[in-house]
mmCIF file of all heavy atoms in Angstrom:
data_model
loop_
_atom_site.group_PDB
_atom_site.id
_atom_site.type_symbol
_atom_site.label_atom_id
_atom_site.label_comp_id
_atom_site.label_asym_id
_atom_site.label_seq_id
_atom_site.Cartn_x
_atom_site.Cartn_y
_atom_site.Cartn_z
ATOM 1 N N SER A 1155 -28.685 -22.143 40.611
ATOM 2 C CA SER A 1155 -27.809 -21.975 39.448
ATOM 3 C C SER A 1155 -28.618 -22.275 38.195
ATOM 4 O O SER A 1155 -29.576 -23.035 38.252
ATOM 5 C CB SER A 1155 -26.633 -22.960 39.503
ATOM 6 O OG SER A 1155 -25.872 -22.800 40.682
ATOM 7 N N HIS A 1156 -28.216 -21.678 37.079
ATOM 8 C CA HIS A 1156 -28.845 -22.069 35.811
ATOM 9 C C HIS A 1156 -27.783 -22.594 34.860
ATOM 10 O O HIS A 1156 -26.651 -22.101 34.846
ATOM 11 C CB HIS A 1156 -29.645 -20.917 35.186
ATOM 12 C CG HIS A 1156 -28.848 -19.719 34.779
ATOM 13 N ND1 HIS A 1156 -28.215 -19.632 33.563
ATOM 14 C CD2 HIS A 1156 -28.591 -18.534 35.403
ATOM 15 C CE1 HIS A 1156 -27.612 -18.441 33.458
ATOM 16 N NE2 HIS A 1156 -27.814 -17.762 34.574
ATOM 17 N N ASP A 1158 -28.425 -22.948 31.468
ATOM 18 C CA ASP A 1158 -28.596 -22.432 30.102
ATOM 19 C C ASP A 1158 -27.778 -21.154 29.913
ATOM 20 O O ASP A 1158 -27.395 -20.494 30.879
ATOM 21 C CB ASP A 1158 -30.084 -22.161 29.801
ATOM 22 C CG ASP A 1158 -30.707 -21.098 30.705
ATOM 23 O OD1 ASP A 1158 -30.398 -21.078 31.922
ATOM 24 O OD2 ASP A 1158 -31.490 -20.268 30.200
ATOM 25 N N THR A 1159 -27.487 -20.847 28.655
ATOM 26 C CA THR A 1159 -26.786 -19.606 28.319
ATOM 27 C C THR A 1159 -27.544 -18.882 27.200
ATOM 28 O O THR A 1159 -28.406 -19.471 26.552
ATOM 29 C CB THR A 1159 -25.346 -19.858 27.795
ATOM 30 O OG1 THR A 1159 -25.434 -20.344 26.456
ATOM 31 C CG2 THR A 1159 -24.605 -20.847 28.655
ATOM 32 N N VAL A 1160 -27.182 -17.600 26.985
ATOM 33 C CA VAL A 1160 -27.844 -16.837 25.915
ATOM 34 C C VAL A 1160 -27.229 -17.123 24.547
ATOM 35 O O VAL A 1160 -27.798 -16.743 23.529
ATOM 36 C CB VAL A 1160 -27.739 -15.308 26.134
ATOM 37 C CG1 VAL A 1160 -28.492 -14.899 27.372
ATOM 38 C CG2 VAL A 1160 -26.297 -14.844 26.186
ATOM 39 N N TYR A 1184 -18.873 -17.108 32.445
ATOM 40 C CA TYR A 1184 -19.071 -16.152 33.544
ATOM 41 C C TYR A 1184 -20.541 -16.139 33.975
ATOM 42 O O TYR A 1184 -20.870 -16.070 35.150
ATOM 43 C CB TYR A 1184 -18.584 -14.791 33.023
ATOM 44 C CG TYR A 1184 -18.836 -13.567 33.852
ATOM 45 C CD1 TYR A 1184 -18.303 -13.459 35.129
ATOM 46 C CD2 TYR A 1184 -19.568 -12.498 33.334
ATOM 47 C CE1 TYR A 1184 -18.519 -12.304 35.880
ATOM 48 C CE2 TYR A 1184 -19.778 -11.350 34.070
ATOM 49 C CZ TYR A 1184 -19.252 -11.251 35.348
ATOM 50 O OH TYR A 1184 -19.462 -10.111 36.075
ATOM 51 N N ASP A 1185 -21.434 -16.241 33.011
ATOM 52 C CA ASP A 1185 -22.878 -16.251 33.293
ATOM 53 C C ASP A 1185 -23.502 -17.518 32.731
ATOM 54 O O ASP A 1185 -23.938 -17.523 31.588
ATOM 55 C CB ASP A 1185 -23.521 -15.011 32.691
ATOM 56 C CG ASP A 1185 -25.002 -14.926 33.006
ATOM 57 O OD1 ASP A 1185 -25.489 -15.714 33.845
ATOM 58 O OD2 ASP A 1185 -25.682 -14.071 32.409
ATOM 59 N N MET A 1186 -23.644 -18.605 33.625
ATOM 60 C CA MET A 1186 -22.986 -18.684 34.892
ATOM 61 C C MET A 1186 -22.394 -20.057 35.149
ATOM 62 O O MET A 1186 -22.443 -20.580 36.226
ATOM 63 C CB MET A 1186 -23.945 -18.342 36.022
ATOM 64 C CG MET A 1186 -25.094 -19.377 36.090
ATOM 65 S SD MET A 1186 -25.688 -19.818 37.744
ATOM 66 C CE MET A 1186 -26.757 -18.468 38.143
ATOM 67 N N LYS A 1187 -21.807 -20.672 34.119
ATOM 68 C CA LYS A 1187 -21.279 -22.020 34.359
ATOM 69 C C LYS A 1187 -20.174 -22.010 35.408
ATOM 70 O O LYS A 1187 -20.060 -22.951 36.205
ATOM 71 C CB LYS A 1187 -20.824 -22.642 33.048
ATOM 72 C CG LYS A 1187 -22.028 -23.056 32.215
ATOM 73 C CD LYS A 1187 -21.684 -23.671 30.898
ATOM 74 C CE LYS A 1187 -22.961 -24.058 30.160
ATOM 75 N NZ LYS A 1187 -22.688 -24.492 28.777
ATOM 76 N N GLU A 1219 -33.292 -19.844 32.807
ATOM 77 C CA GLU A 1219 -33.178 -18.531 33.460
ATOM 78 C C GLU A 1219 -33.058 -17.404 32.442
ATOM 79 O O GLU A 1219 -33.591 -16.321 32.621
ATOM 80 C CB GLU A 1219 -31.966 -18.519 34.394
ATOM 81 C CG GLU A 1219 -31.941 -17.351 35.375
ATOM 82 C CD GLU A 1219 -31.334 -16.069 34.812
ATOM 83 O OE1 GLU A 1219 -30.593 -16.127 33.811
ATOM 84 O OE2 GLU A 1219 -31.594 -14.993 35.381
ATOM 85 N N GLU A 1220 -32.354 -17.684 31.348
ATOM 86 C CA GLU A 1220 -32.049 -16.599 30.405
ATOM 87 C C GLU A 1220 -33.269 -16.134 29.609
ATOM 88 O O GLU A 1220 -33.210 -15.122 28.918
ATOM 89 C CB GLU A 1220 -30.906 -17.003 29.463
ATOM 90 C CG GLU A 1220 -29.555 -17.196 30.163
ATOM 91 C CD GLU A 1220 -28.954 -15.903 30.715
ATOM 92 O OE1 GLU A 1220 -29.590 -14.841 30.608
ATOM 93 O OE2 GLU A 1220 -27.834 -15.966 31.266
ATOM 94 N N VAL A 1242 -27.303 -17.490 45.441
ATOM 95 C CA VAL A 1242 -27.443 -17.499 43.983
ATOM 96 C C VAL A 1242 -26.065 -17.328 43.362
ATOM 97 O O VAL A 1242 -25.325 -16.417 43.737
ATOM 98 C CB VAL A 1242 -28.393 -16.369 43.512
ATOM 99 C CG1 VAL A 1242 -28.685 -16.511 42.020
ATOM 100 C CG2 VAL A 1242 -29.689 -16.389 44.312
ATOM 101 N N THR A 1243 -25.739 -18.209 42.416
ATOM 102 C CA THR A 1243 -24.382 -18.200 41.855
ATOM 103 C C THR A 1243 -24.273 -17.405 40.563
ATOM 104 O O THR A 1243 -23.459 -17.717 39.702
ATOM 105 C CB THR A 1243 -23.861 -19.638 41.632
ATOM 106 O OG1 THR A 1243 -24.701 -20.285 40.657
ATOM 107 C CG2 THR A 1243 -23.882 -20.427 42.923
ATOM 108 N N GLU A 1244 -25.092 -16.341 40.447
ATOM 109 C CA GLU A 1244 -24.901 -15.421 39.317
ATOM 110 C C GLU A 1244 -23.521 -14.774 39.458
ATOM 111 O O GLU A 1244 -22.949 -14.726 40.548
ATOM 112 C CB GLU A 1244 -25.986 -14.332 39.326
ATOM 113 C CG GLU A 1244 -27.361 -14.827 38.885
ATOM 114 C CD GLU A 1244 -27.450 -15.171 37.405
ATOM 115 O OE1 GLU A 1244 -26.528 -14.840 36.643
ATOM 116 O OE2 GLU A 1244 -28.450 -15.809 37.017
ATOM 117 N N PRO A 1245 -22.973 -14.256 38.338
ATOM 118 C CA PRO A 1245 -21.625 -13.694 38.384
ATOM 119 C C PRO A 1245 -21.493 -12.548 39.385
ATOM 120 O O PRO A 1245 -22.443 -11.807 39.639
ATOM 121 C CB PRO A 1245 -21.408 -13.153 36.969
ATOM 122 C CG PRO A 1245 -22.482 -13.711 36.136
ATOM 123 C CD PRO A 1245 -23.573 -14.196 37.011
ATOM 124 N N ARG A 1247 -20.082 -8.847 40.391
ATOM 125 C CA ARG A 1247 -20.131 -7.604 39.606
ATOM 126 C C ARG A 1247 -18.925 -6.718 39.896
ATOM 127 O O ARG A 1247 -18.451 -6.677 41.020
ATOM 128 C CB ARG A 1247 -21.373 -6.772 39.970
ATOM 129 C CG ARG A 1247 -22.663 -7.519 39.927
ATOM 130 C CD ARG A 1247 -23.180 -7.606 38.516
ATOM 131 N NE ARG A 1247 -23.954 -8.826 38.387
ATOM 132 C CZ ARG A 1247 -24.693 -9.151 37.336
ATOM 133 N NH1 ARG A 1247 -24.765 -8.332 36.320
ATOM 134 N NH2 ARG A 1247 -25.327 -10.281 37.292
ATOM 135 N N ARG A 1256 -31.683 -6.132 43.608
ATOM 136 C CA ARG A 1256 -31.864 -6.214 42.165
ATOM 137 C C ARG A 1256 -33.141 -5.501 41.764
ATOM 138 O O ARG A 1256 -34.135 -5.545 42.478
ATOM 139 C CB ARG A 1256 -31.977 -7.679 41.717
ATOM 140 C CG ARG A 1256 -30.665 -8.375 41.557
ATOM 141 C CD ARG A 1256 -30.847 -9.739 40.955
ATOM 142 N NE ARG A 1256 -29.598 -10.480 40.925
ATOM 143 C CZ ARG A 1256 -28.707 -10.418 39.940
ATOM 144 N NH1 ARG A 1256 -28.933 -9.646 38.897
ATOM 145 N NH2 ARG A 1256 -27.601 -11.122 40.001
ATOM 146 N N GLY A 1400 -31.925 -8.630 36.449
ATOM 147 C CA GLY A 1400 -32.777 -9.518 37.227
ATOM 148 C C GLY A 1400 -32.146 -10.901 37.318
ATOM 149 O O GLY A 1400 -31.294 -11.252 36.517
ATOM 150 N N SER A 1401 -32.546 -11.677 38.317
ATOM 151 C CA SER A 1401 -32.101 -13.072 38.399
ATOM 152 C C SER A 1401 -33.168 -13.864 39.128
ATOM 153 O O SER A 1401 -34.157 -13.306 39.600
ATOM 154 C CB SER A 1401 -30.770 -13.199 39.143
ATOM 155 O OG SER A 1401 -30.966 -13.426 40.514
ATOM 156 N N ASP A 1402 -32.930 -15.168 39.287
ATOM 157 C CA ASP A 1402 -33.872 -15.985 40.032
ATOM 158 C C ASP A 1402 -33.909 -15.594 41.508
ATOM 159 O O ASP A 1402 -34.851 -15.954 42.219
ATOM 160 C CB ASP A 1402 -33.528 -17.464 39.855
ATOM 161 C CG ASP A 1402 -33.881 -17.961 38.460
ATOM 162 O OD1 ASP A 1402 -34.780 -17.360 37.832
ATOM 163 O OD2 ASP A 1402 -33.269 -18.936 37.999
ATOM 164 N N ALA A 1423 -20.634 -10.722 30.323
ATOM 165 C CA ALA A 1423 -21.794 -11.618 30.232
ATOM 166 C C ALA A 1423 -22.558 -11.329 28.941
ATOM 167 O O ALA A 1423 -22.728 -10.169 28.555
ATOM 168 C CB ALA A 1423 -22.719 -11.394 31.433
ATOM 169 N N HIS A 1424 -22.979 -12.369 28.262
ATOM 170 C CA HIS A 1424 -23.805 -12.287 27.047
ATOM 171 C C HIS A 1424 -23.046 -11.718 25.842
ATOM 172 O O HIS A 1424 -23.662 -11.359 24.846
ATOM 173 C CB HIS A 1424 -25.078 -11.440 27.266
ATOM 174 C CG HIS A 1424 -25.982 -11.961 28.351
ATOM 175 N ND1 HIS A 1424 -27.272 -11.499 28.523
ATOM 176 C CD2 HIS A 1424 -25.787 -12.884 29.324
ATOM 177 C CE1 HIS A 1424 -27.825 -12.120 29.553
ATOM 178 N NE2 HIS A 1424 -26.941 -12.966 30.067
HETATM 179 ZN ZN1 ZN B 1181 -27.124 -15.787 34.670
#
Side-chain angles (χ1 to χ4, degrees):
S1155 302
H1156 64 85
D1158 62 320
T1159 75
V1160 295
Y1184 172 61
D1185 183 10
M1186 63 144 80
K1187 286 180 179 172
E1219 194 275 340
E1220 294 292 2
V1242 188
T1243 63
E1244 286 290 349
R1247 309 278 151 171
R1256 278 187 186 273
S1401 92
D1402 287 335
H1424 301 193

